[in-house]
């Protein structure tokens, strides 16, 4: 079973209903924080999904290192430094190449304030083709997507989640049109895909409703959830917009929505 919780359905410019990127994925009972954008921790705690609070966060996946997807790492690590947090379980952060460099630079600024007091911190930069097999049989597989990066990281990632029953949820991360995403999303049970801007916006490295529709018409996911909506997109009926190009099931995410596979 896969539960995909939307903690933040927006992008870098939040609205009252669409906070910056943040997701909580439960894959066969294994909990994964995906993209801790600004405010992710508080929204996770308000959702009731993590009753142990900071101590209950053990695995973090990053699609890329832009602040709207990663800024709450600072808040989370600072909280884990507090003597109030008692977990001794390792804290593992998985992300693209550049993750170690980012944490090193943050440590230059904050020193030991970002060192968890009782927990080891494990940073994993994904190698191409690498997957993570979770206890319980779930499989997490990153793939490169098309989102321009800067000197911190060369590339951005999407993620494919497969549960022990073979059911699949795919997360696009931030991306422009991208053949690897079409391939990952082919016949997926759930596709959580960015739909950042209206059709009349052409941006490099993001998708508009037409591009999402074309992706879905090709890949035929069973349920499409539109996320990472900037204010102009969030104010629109994106289901109708994407529905011009794709006849399958479409939902427009808001903060607090949850989607289940299985
Ligand atoms: Zn973003």
């Amino acid at each position: 079973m896969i539960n995909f919780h939307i903690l933040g359905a927006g992008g870098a410019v939040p609205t009252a209903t669409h906070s910056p990127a943040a997701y909580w994925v439960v894959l066969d009972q294994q909990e994964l924080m995906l993209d801790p954008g600004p405010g992710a921790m508080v929204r996770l705690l308000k959702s009731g999904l993590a009753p142990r609070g900071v101590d209950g966060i053990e695995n973090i996946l990053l699609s890329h290192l832009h602040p709207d997807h990663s800024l709450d790492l600072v808040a989370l690590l600072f909280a884990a430094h507090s003597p109030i947090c008692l977990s001794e379980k390792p804290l593992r952060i998985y992300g693209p190449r550049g993750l170690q460099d980012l944490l090193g630079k943050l440590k230059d600024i904050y020193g030991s304030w970002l060192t968890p007091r009782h927990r080891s911190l494990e940073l994993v930069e994904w190698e191409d083709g690498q997957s993570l097999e979770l206890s319980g049989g779930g499989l997490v597989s990153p793939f490169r997507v098309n989102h321009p990066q800067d000197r911190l990281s060369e590339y951005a990632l999407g993620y494919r989640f497969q549960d022990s029953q073979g059911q699949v949820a795919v997360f696009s991360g931030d991306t422009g049109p991208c053949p690897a995403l079409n391939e990952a999303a082919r016949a997926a049970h759930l596709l959580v895909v960015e739909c950042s801007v209206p059709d009349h916006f052409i941006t490099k490295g993001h998708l508009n409703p037409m591009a999402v529709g074309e992706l879905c018409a090709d890949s035929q996911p069973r349920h499409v959830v539109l996320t990472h909506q900037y204010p102009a997109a969030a104010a629109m009926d994106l289901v109708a917009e994407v529905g011009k190009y794709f006849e399958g099931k479409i939902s427009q995410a808001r903060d607090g929505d949850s989607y289940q596979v299985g």
Side-chain angles (χ1 to χ4, degrees), residues 33 36-43 67 69-77:
M33 175 161 250
M41 250 198 322
V42 171
R43 295 199 302 284
H69 297 255
S70 66
L71 193 67
D72 244 24
L73 276 185
V74 174
L76 175 66
L77 293 172

Side-chain angles (χ1 to χ4, degrees), residues 11-12 64 68-69 147 174 206 228 230:
H64 62 297
D68 59 324
H69 297 255
H147 187 60
D174 284 11
H206 286 295
H228 203 269
Y230 277 77

Side-chain angles (χ1 to χ4, degrees), residues 110-130:
Y110 291 108
S112 63
W113 294 112
L114 298 191
T115 303
R117 187 165 302 254
H118 302 299
R119 314 174 70 174
S120 61
L121 180 61
E122 298 176 17
L123 304 179
V124 178
E125 295 185 346
W126 294 108
E127 303 286 343
D128 283 341
Q130 188 181 0

Side-chain angles (χ1 to χ4, degrees), residues 80-181:
H81 181 77
S82 163
I84 295 170
C85 291
L86 299 175
S87 171
E88 296 182 353
K89 295 257 180 79
L91 179 58
R92 300 188 181 92
I93 307 175
Y94 301 82
R97 200 176 307 143
L99 174 65
Q100 308 254 16
D101 194 25
L102 172 66
L103 268 294
K105 287 184 164 75
L106 289 171
K107 208 165 181 184
D108 284 347
I109 298 168
Y110 291 108
S112 63
W113 294 112
L114 298 191
T115 303
R117 187 165 302 254
H118 302 299
R119 314 174 70 174
S120 61
L121 180 61
E122 298 176 17
L123 304 179
V124 178
E125 295 185 346
W126 294 108
E127 303 286 343
D128 283 341
Q130 188 181 0
S131 291
L132 170 65
E133 196 169 341
L134 301 170
S135 61
L139 191 68
V140 180
S141 305
F143 55 92
R144 290 194 190 201
V145 293
N146 172 23
H147 187 60
Q149 296 297 288
D150 48 30
R151 60 205 165 110
L152 258 182
S153 185
E154 298 162 34
Y155 56 88
L157 299 169
Y159 283 97
R160 185 178 187 273
F161 302 92
Q162 182 174 307
D163 72 8
S164 56
Q165 307 300 309
Q167 299 172 110
V168 170
V170 170
F171 172 63
S172 70
D174 284 11
T175 185
C178 173
L181 175 58

